[in-house]
Amino acid sequence: METFDPSKKPKLNKITGLLKKSGVIAVLVIAIPVIGIGSVYNIQEQEQAVLTTLGSAKTVAEPGLHFKIPFIQRVQKVNTTIQGVAIGYDPSDNQSEEADSLMITSDYNFVNVDFFVEYKLVDPVKAVYASQDPFAILQNISRSCIRTVIGSYDVDSVLTTGKNEIQSRVKEMVMNKLEQHDVGLSVVNVTIQDSEPPTAEVMEAFKAVETAKQGKETALNNANKYRNEKLPEATAQTDKILQEAESSKVQRVNEANAEVAKFNAMYEEYSKNPEVTRKRMFYEAMEDVLPGMKVIIDGTGKTDTILPLDSFTGAAGAAASQEAGNNEAGQNSPGNSAGERTGNDGKSGMKQGESGTQSTGSQTDHGAEEAAE
């Protein structure tokens, strides 16, 4: 049994006081840093904070150090950068997930389509408090809208030409759905990462179709190139033909005007003295016609007489002259009376021919003058 010693009481009180002071100091030493650290928070450049005070939330958007009341105010930071969610494939290994990627088109064909949806937080308070998991809501809305849009297009459009239109429609539909749910998220972009048929055989067939379409585009480009090369050349040729035609037109019009002026001048002279002008015109026409004539028909009598001019001119006249020369040479030979008679006959024939030609020409001129009158 312990005996109480009154002399030890003051020492005990002293020790007890020291322990009490040291406990308060320890509490203060621990509490002050905790309170100081808990009352300061930092916001990065790409972050925003939701400051909640007794159930009332507000957004703090300015980056840097901020203060809050410990145990009364609570801070939740959110990332405001553009983020993405994969629909239909696993981003870590790019393996297709048929549960999300396998879809049916409007023409009852199956396709595997992978989408990547980019989004960002536009209202941090709603993103924190409007729903328990806004990210899951975005995924479900995206899957629903994608299947709805893909189901309204045929397989060719999904695999080839309709991708841009499909992306735009999906983006618009997802944005409208998010506005209705009002979870503080907004879609930035929707992209088709890949689209292909579900089997290898069908995939090869669609690749062949795509190659044929590319060949078509190449042929069209080559045709346009050829047209662009030939069209200026054809245009230049057309202009040249038009200019030549215009030049010919002007030339012919000028020639016609000259002929009209010439005719008017001749008519003016003819009206002054018709008889002289008529004869002059007749003689000028005969000068052009007679050198090329072979036969003259004299119809002044009851019967027509055909007078061949070749017998008096050209080869026939030269033959007659040669024969006359031979006859003259025959006269110098003794006892050649027959040749002399032949030469005399030739000379008389030449004289008769000359007189006949002169009479024929006079008759022709006389008949032509009568015809002109």
Side-chain angles (χ1 to χ4, degrees):
M1 180 176 181
E2 184 178 357
T3 303
F4 175 74
D5 186 359
S7 62
K8 294 181 180 179
K9 186 176 180 180
K11 293 181 181 180
L12 181 61
N13 292 335
K14 186 177 181 180
I15 293 171
T16 303
L18 290 174
L19 290 175
K20 290 181 179 180
K21 289 180 180 180
S22 61
V24 172
I25 293 172
V27 170
L28 292 175
V29 169
I30 297 172
I32 290 174
V34 171
I35 294 173
I37 293 173
S39 62
V40 177
Y41 62 94
N42 183 32
I43 299 178
Q44 301 294 330
E45 186 69 27
Q46 302 296 331
E47 292 180 339
Q48 291 186 13
V50 177
L51 181 63
T52 305
T53 305
L54 299 176
S56 176
K58 70 174 184 177
T59 302
V60 180
E62 295 80 7
L65 289 175
H66 296 270
F67 295 94
K68 67 182 182 69
I69 302 174
F71 310 111
I72 295 177
Q73 292 181 324
R74 187 163 63 95
V75 175
Q76 290 178 277
K77 298 178 184 179
V78 295
N79 187 357
T80 58
T81 59
I82 297 177
Q83 303 177 65
V85 53
I87 306 294
Y89 70 101
D90 187 358
S92 60
D93 54 6
N94 290 328
Q95 292 296 323
S96 179
E97 298 176 351
E98 290 191 357
D100 292 333
S101 65
L102 188 61
M103 306 177 196
I104 188 170
T105 60
S106 62
D107 53 354
Y108 305 106
N109 286 296
F110 289 96
V111 290
N112 280 327
V113 187
D114 300 336
F115 281 83
F116 189 76
V117 180
E118 297 177 88
Y119 70 95
K120 66 180 298 185
L121 276 74
V122 293
D123 191 336
V125 174
K126 291 180 179 179
V128 172
Y129 291 108
S131 63
Q132 182 177 2
D133 192 351
F135 179 74
I137 293 175
L138 174 64
Q139 283 184 314
N140 294 331
I141 291 175
S142 299
R143 292 189 182 98
S144 174
C145 295
I146 288 171
R147 291 186 179 278
T148 301
V149 174
I150 292 296
S152 62
Y153 284 85
D154 58 20
V155 66
D156 289 336
S157 299
V158 175
L159 296 177
T160 56
T161 59
K163 291 182 178 180
N164 292 332
E165 185 177 351
I166 292 173
Q167 292 172 171
S168 300
R169 286 192 58 186
V170 170
K171 177 183 176 181
E172 182 180 358
M173 189 177 295
V174 173
M175 290 179 65
N176 293 335
K177 293 288 185 180
L178 286 176
E179 289 179 0
Q180 295 176 7
H181 286 78
D182 197 17
V183 293
L185 301 181
S186 177
V187 173
V188 177
N189 192 24
V190 176
T191 307
I192 295 178
Q193 296 295 99
D194 192 15
S195 59
E196 59 185 12
T199 61
E201 293 80 5
V202 179
M203 188 183 304
E204 290 298 326
F206 278 103
K207 287 182 179 179
V209 172
E210 185 67 21
T211 302
K213 290 182 178 180
Q214 293 177 359
K216 171 188 173 183
E217 294 295 330
T218 302
L220 289 175
N221 294 334
N222 292 335
N224 291 330
K225 178 183 177 181
Y226 180 79
R227 180 190 65 181
N228 295 333
E229 290 176 353
K230 295 299 181 181
L231 189 60
E233 181 180 350
T235 303
Q237 189 70 18
T238 303
D239 294 339
K240 180 181 178 181
I241 294 173
L242 291 176
Q243 291 175 1
E244 291 177 353
E246 187 67 22
S247 175
S248 178
K249 169 189 170 184
V250 172
Q251 181 181 356
R252 292 190 178 186
V253 169
N254 293 336
E255 291 176 355
N257 291 333
E259 292 293 333
V260 171
K262 179 181 178 181
F263 178 82
N264 290 335
M266 293 176 65
Y267 179 76
E268 184 179 354
E269 296 298 326
Y270 175 81
S271 61
K272 292 178 182 178
N273 196 344
E275 186 66 25
V276 175
T277 305
R278 186 185 300 115
K279 288 184 177 181
R280 182 177 62 80
M281 294 175 65
F282 171 76
Y283 292 142
E284 290 177 354
M286 289 299 101
E287 288 178 356
D288 295 335
V289 173
L290 285 177
M293 292 183 64
K294 301 295 183 182
V295 176
I296 297 176
I297 300 176
D298 184 8
T300 56
K302 293 182 179 180
T303 60
D304 296 338
T305 303
I306 300 176
L307 303 176
L309 296 182
D310 288 341
S311 61
F312 304 104
T313 60
S321 299
Q322 182 68 27
E323 183 179 358
N326 293 333
N327 291 333
E328 291 178 357
Q331 290 179 357
N332 296 328
S333 300
N336 195 3
S337 59
E340 182 179 358
R341 287 194 301 271
T342 303
N344 292 333
D345 293 340
K347 290 179 180 180
S348 62
M350 287 292 293
K351 290 180 180 180
Q352 290 177 0
E354 290 177 357
S355 63
T357 302
Q358 291 176 358
S359 63
T360 302
S362 63
Q363 290 175 4
T364 302
D365 292 344
H366 178 70
E369 288 178 359
E370 289 180 353
E373 292 176 356

